[in-house]
Amino acid sequence: MPERQSSRKDAIRNREAVLAAADVLFTHRESPEEVTMADVAAAAGVGKGTLFRAFGDRAGLLRALYEARLEPIRQAVETGPPPLGPATPPRDRVPALLDAILCFKLDNRRLALALEEGGSSSPYQAEHYERWHRLLRAVLEQIPGLTDGDFTTHALLAATRADLVEHLAGEGRTSRERMRAQLANFATRVLAPGPCKG
């Protein structure tokens, strides 16, 4: 039994070391593609086999790191106070949620880009995308008169895609505050009551 507990502690310690090493590497490398599993294993002081056993592959490592960084936002959304928490009126909560996603992606540009570009499956089938979509759609459906919540949710989330954020933020094209203001304005117009004007 003590041997099993020691093994479990080693696995937890190794996982934390790998996530910390990956965090540093993805933060400081110019391009996400530059970070390899071998780089992460070496920086964490573990063998590549340990890395693959813990995370499966590079995409698994990216997802785990993304989730670890996202945890404070998840907590705020699930149980926190307004403007992110569940007690917030829907028309206020949707822009706040979109702002939280945008700020998270701005703060984690390389990681978000690597995760959204990685793998062969559609980014719309990624677990993190489905979670945001489910949440935003549920909030949108609380707004009287708003129709086609599924499409509206996809359209709003499209404004926070990592490749768009990277394009706008790259080379100082658009400042953080301007991007936040533009997104808030877009969300407000989408949620405005009344018929669509075209």
Side-chain angles (χ1 to χ4, degrees), residues 133-151:
H133 185 276
R134 211 170 29 250
L135 172 65
L136 273 171
R137 183 175 179 176
V139 177
L140 285 170
E141 287 173 350
Q142 297 171 22
I143 299 175
L146 192 72
T147 58
D148 205 352
D150 184 60
F151 175 80

Side-chain angles (χ1 to χ4, degrees), residues 5-19:
Q5 285 178 338
S6 173
S7 167
R8 222 177 281 136
K9 284 181 184 174
D10 286 346
I12 291 168
R13 189 169 48 249
N14 285 343
R15 182 180 176 84
E16 288 171 355
V18 166
L19 288 174

Side-chain angles (χ1 to χ4, degrees), residues 155-175:
L156 289 169
L157 286 173
T160 67
R161 276 186 52 96
D163 52 359
L164 177 62
V165 170
E166 183 64 27
H167 173 72
L168 294 173
E171 299 174 12
R173 284 185 192 93
T174 310
S175 73

